[in-house]
Amino acid sequence: MVQGFVSQSLMASMSRLFTQPSRVAVIAFASFIGFLLLLFGYRNSPTNVRSPSLAPSDSGRGTISAARQKSLGAIQNTTLGFEKILAINLPERTDYRDGLALAAAVSNIQVEFINGVHGDTVLDKVLPPKHVENPEAALRGSWRAHVNALRSVVEHNWTTALIFEADVDWDVRVRDVLTNVALGSVALLSPSSPQGVEDQQLHLSRLSFPVTEAPLSPYGDGWDVLWLGHCGMQIQRGSNIVVIEDEDTVPEAQFVRTWDADERSPLEEYPAHSRIVFQPEGCVCSIGYAVTQGGARKLLNSLGLHRLNAPVDIMLREWCEGQDGDGPHVCVGTLPTVFASHRPAGSTAGDSDMGTPSEGFRDRGFTQNIRWSVRMNMDKIVRGDTDYEDQFSDTVEELVD
Ligand SMILES: *[C@@H]1O[C@H](CO)[C@@H](O)[C@H](O)[C@H]1NC(C)=O
Ligand SMILES: *[C@@H]1O[C@H](CO)[C@@H](O)[C@H](O)[C@H]1NC(C)=O
């Protein structure tokens, strides 16, 4: 049974989402596993039964209803299926802006920069009523920058927006990654029944969703935050977990790192190269997160008008979990992270505008958790080479049949 895996608000959003009762059925074709084939098992229209034709369409999505395919197709667009992508950047961090502008350009992603904020320009009188005593400049600045981004989403009435910090990095195959996340989040947000669910794990390859209409967002409807870029998150107790197997972009679990070097990744419990999508808790770092219009309004109300009692990522985490007087909100997380912070070669003093800069020098840059990192492969990419460097090559040879 999957009792209690959904919060009240998730329930509410589910009932808004689906007009027909849905059921989760196990489809017995266990050997059909893999990115291509899982999609044949993923049926989201009652009239759309598993098709035996293996027509080499785009990526084998022939059995997903046309409406859903169209909606997933939006992930290929220049804003990755969101209405807008914003990136927070302090104007004098020209290094960050150069790097992100180039990474976005070569990935055909359209990013709108919004200025970061210097803490000393944030007056005491604009602080929300509940704030830490004398917030230090770094905290004021990053709070204001993120709230400005959220406010911009509200002012423009964008249906969804993805908010980046400017040192963000991603895999060359980011659109494939996000398509899997979208399949996962729609499955997570759908009103599943306990049948076919083992240990709260929903194997995408075995699920069937009679969905009458495609969601408005390719990532599903009814979410507040999609926390896509983080440096660590846990699975909320009782959350359902959608397991997407055989994703090539996922490093072996031994390579998956978080802010806490001693932490074992929850991914160690799953077959190698699985991506999981779930309701998160204990999230750290706000490298990239998407909000819906509803999510942005609620966040602007909470973080803009009520409180500044922790760094932004911690406030966002508390807001998701429903601490601090806020009810729980519908936040969807994924492991491994889709977006990560890039640390370029050179002086380490530039790593953060938040804490005290560290004195040091790196010969080689890095990005944790991202295999074909766009930033790490930039020399090749601008040359037009496609033999990308894999930062986390497999140590275990997979059996090929
Ligand atoms: C990309 O797709 C999303 C979702 O359909 C849409 O809101 C957005 O406007 C699209 N972006 C572009 C640049 O077409
Ligand atoms: C905001 O967008 C929604 C649909 O996404 C629309 O119904 C509403 O009228 C818009 N509001 C404003 C002020 O434009």
Side-chain angles (χ1 to χ4, degrees), residues 111-124:
V111 169
E112 194 163 295
F113 284 93
I114 71 166
N115 285 341
V117 177
H118 286 285
D120 53 17
T121 64
V122 178
L123 304 179
D124 280 340

Side-chain angles (χ1 to χ4, degrees), residues 31-82:
S31 62
F32 285 72
I33 293 177
F35 177 73
L36 187 107
L37 292 175
L38 71 84
L39 294 163
F40 285 87
Y42 180 87
R43 297 184 284 133
N44 58 3
S45 154
T47 56
N48 203 351
V49 289
R50 178 158 58 99
S51 155
S53 89
L54 294 175
S57 69
D58 214 3
S59 46
R61 286 186 196 121
T63 54
I64 294 184
S65 73
R68 179 69 182 122
Q69 275 190 60
K70 188 159 173 254
S71 137
L72 281 172
I75 294 172
Q76 305 300 320
N77 77 14
T78 56
T79 47
L80 303 175
F82 301 100

Side-chain angles (χ1 to χ4, degrees), residues 2 24-30 32-34 37-43 180 183-184 187-188 192-209 240-246 269-277:
V2 243
V24 176
V26 177
I27 303 168
F29 59 117
F32 285 72
I33 293 177
L37 292 175
L38 71 84
L39 294 163
F40 285 87
Y42 180 87
R43 297 184 284 133
N180 277 349
L183 288 166
L188 189 75
S192 52
S193 84
Q195 286 161 283
V197 179
E198 305 152 19
D199 300 333
Q200 294 165 328
Q201 287 185 25
L202 304 152
H203 290 265
L204 204 53
S205 50
R206 294 183 231 148
L207 291 181
S208 154
F209 298 98
N240 267 359
I241 301 154
V242 184
V243 185
I244 300 143
E245 290 178 52
D246 287 336
E269 310 293 321
Y270 297 87
H273 307 300
S274 295
R275 167 169 300 286
I276 56 175
V277 180

Side-chain angles (χ1 to χ4, degrees), residues 126-129 143-144 147 299-307:
V126 308
L127 298 177
W143 165 75
R144 201 51 245 165
V147 174
L299 275 166
L300 181 58
N301 186 43
S302 178
L303 272 54
L305 297 173
H306 284 286
R307 64 198 181 97

Side-chain angles (χ1 to χ4, degrees), residues 301-377:
N301 186 43
S302 178
L303 272 54
L305 297 173
H306 284 286
R307 64 198 181 97
L308 167 54
N309 52 352
V312 169
D313 57 340
I314 305 302
M315 286 198 289
L316 189 56
R317 165 215 285 198
E318 291 172 352
W319 183 87
C320 283
E321 291 170 13
Q323 296 175 19
D324 216 40
D326 271 328
H329 296 96
V330 186
C331 297
V332 175
T334 185
L335 277 167
T337 190
V338 179
F339 299 104
S341 296
H342 176 61
R343 296 283 171 255
S347 163
T348 59
D351 284 359
S352 178
D353 292 309
M354 274 288 280
T356 330
S358 57
E359 293 296 330
F361 190 89
R362 250 188 314 267
D363 290 329
R364 197 182 141 76
F366 68 91
T367 303
Q368 289 182 336
N369 304 318
I370 307 290
R371 294 188 70 161
W372 293 1
S373 150
V374 166
R375 308 285 192 125
M376 294 299 292
N377 279 288

